[in-house]
């Protein structure tokens, strides 16, 4: 993949609450860590619904990764493909690689759903009274998962041995945990801080934020 033509799709602007959290960040971060050069196709809001994009991402979402003309979608699948072809994101030992794979799926399938539900309640549900009634139950489910994660992680710097693609996925999930929950987990906050201080993460974040800043005035005027 290092010698392939790689193109990531990304939005030209999103509302402030989503800036720095759109999932192309995961893909950019993995590519930065792997040292793979890539281009970014910046899409205007609404373009994700066009037939041309739906042919490469049937749900009209961001990101996709084009690899020499063929397209891959779903951030977890994209990250795993990058990791498989990199020298830095997967261990060579098969048992260690299996552990990384398990934690990638745990982050996406076990931790991210309750975290995403909290984001939905806090940011998107218009009936705030209904959201307030439901939120404690969802927050309890999220805390249960965070309790277990904190117990497994302990004082370790990474989730599966050395730094790997699992840390990229898990860090991006934990960054979306609401402040009132993550405040109770100092080791998880330290884990996030440690990984978001990496130069590759900072480069990925800067790349995502650049078009948001450039296009903010246009979108805000239209709104």
């Amino acid at each position: 993949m290092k010698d392939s033509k790689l193109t990531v799709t990304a939005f030209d602007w999103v509302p402030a609450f989503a800036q720095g959290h759109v999932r192309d960040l995961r893909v950019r971060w993995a590519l930065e860590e792997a040292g793979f050069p890539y281009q970014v196709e910046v899409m205007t809001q609404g373009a994700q619904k066009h037939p041309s994009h739906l042919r490469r991402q049937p749900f009209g979402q961001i990101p996709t990764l084009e690899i020499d003309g063929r397209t891959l979608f779903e951030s977890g699948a994209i990250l795993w493909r990058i990791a498989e072809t990199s020298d830095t994101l997967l261990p060579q030992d098969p048992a260690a690689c299996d552990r990384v794979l398990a934690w990638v799926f745990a982050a996406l399938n076990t931790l991210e759903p309750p975290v995403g539900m909290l984001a939905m309640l806090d940011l998107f549900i218009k009936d705030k009274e209904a959201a307030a009634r439901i939120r404690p139950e969802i927050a309890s489910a999220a805390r249960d998962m965070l309790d277990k994660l904190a117990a497994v992680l302990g004082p370790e710097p990474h989730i599966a041995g050395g730094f790997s693609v699992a840390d990229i996925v898990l860090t991006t999930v934990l960054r979306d945990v609401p402040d009132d929950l993550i405040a109770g987990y100092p080791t998880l906050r330290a884990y996030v801080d440690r990984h978001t201080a990496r130069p590759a993460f900072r480069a990925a974040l800067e790349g995502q934020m650049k078009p948001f800043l450039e296009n903010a005035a246009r979108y805000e005027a239209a709104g």
Side-chain angles (χ1 to χ4, degrees):
M1 189 178 285
K2 184 175 184 179
D3 298 321
S4 298
K5 181 181 179 181
L6 305 174
T7 304
V8 181
T9 52
F11 288 125
D12 67 342
W13 181 85
V14 293
F17 68 80
Q19 294 181 9
H21 295 271
V22 187
R23 289 177 183 172
D24 64 280
L25 182 67
R26 296 173 175 173
V27 177
R28 295 173 189 255
W29 184 6
L31 291 169
E32 295 283 350
E33 292 281 1
F36 294 167
Y38 62 97
Q39 300 174 341
V40 180
E41 178 187 340
V42 178
M43 298 172 54
T44 59
Q45 280 292 334
Q48 70 271 27
K49 300 177 183 178
H50 292 176
S52 59
H53 185 63
L54 291 173
R55 283 193 291 270
R56 59 188 178 184
Q57 216 299 352
F59 303 103
Q61 297 172 329
I62 293 292
T64 62
L65 178 65
E66 187 176 280
I67 309 168
D68 292 331
R70 69 183 191 276
T71 301
L72 191 63
F73 68 96
E74 286 295 331
S75 63
I78 295 169
L79 261 64
W80 192 256
R81 178 63 69 234
I82 294 169
E84 285 183 319
T85 56
S86 79
D87 297 324
T88 57
L89 296 176
L90 280 181
Q92 296 299 310
D93 175 68
C97 187
D98 285 349
R99 181 170 172 78
V100 170
L101 177 61
W103 275 107
V104 167
F105 275 87
L108 294 172
N109 291 356
T110 301
L111 289 159
E112 193 165 49
V115 172
M117 290 178 70
L118 287 171
M120 181 69 70
L121 291 170
D122 291 345
L123 299 170
F124 298 107
I125 298 299
K126 294 180 180 179
D127 187 338
K128 297 305 180 185
E129 290 185 3
R133 289 196 301 271
I134 297 169
R135 192 181 192 278
E137 187 172 350
I138 304 303
S140 177
R143 282 194 195 91
D144 184 51
M145 295 299 103
L146 294 172
D147 287 345
K148 292 178 171 62
L149 173 63
V152 171
L153 179 65
E156 296 300 319
H158 311 299
I159 192 60
F163 178 79
S164 71
V165 66
D167 294 299
I168 293 178
V169 182
L170 185 57
T171 297
T172 57
V173 170
L174 290 175
R175 287 181 74 236
D176 291 340
V177 176
D179 289 342
D180 63 318
L181 265 70
I182 199 68
Y185 300 91
T187 58
L188 298 185
R189 294 195 80 157
Y191 173 88
V192 171
D193 291 344
R194 182 182 310 117
H195 291 96
T196 55
R198 294 177 69 89
F201 175 86
R202 305 309 303 176
L205 181 62
E206 181 179 355
Q208 184 180 89
M209 293 297 295
K210 186 174 184 290
F212 298 163
L213 298 172
E214 293 173 345
N215 293 296
R218 176 166 56 85
Y219 277 97
E220 290 166 2

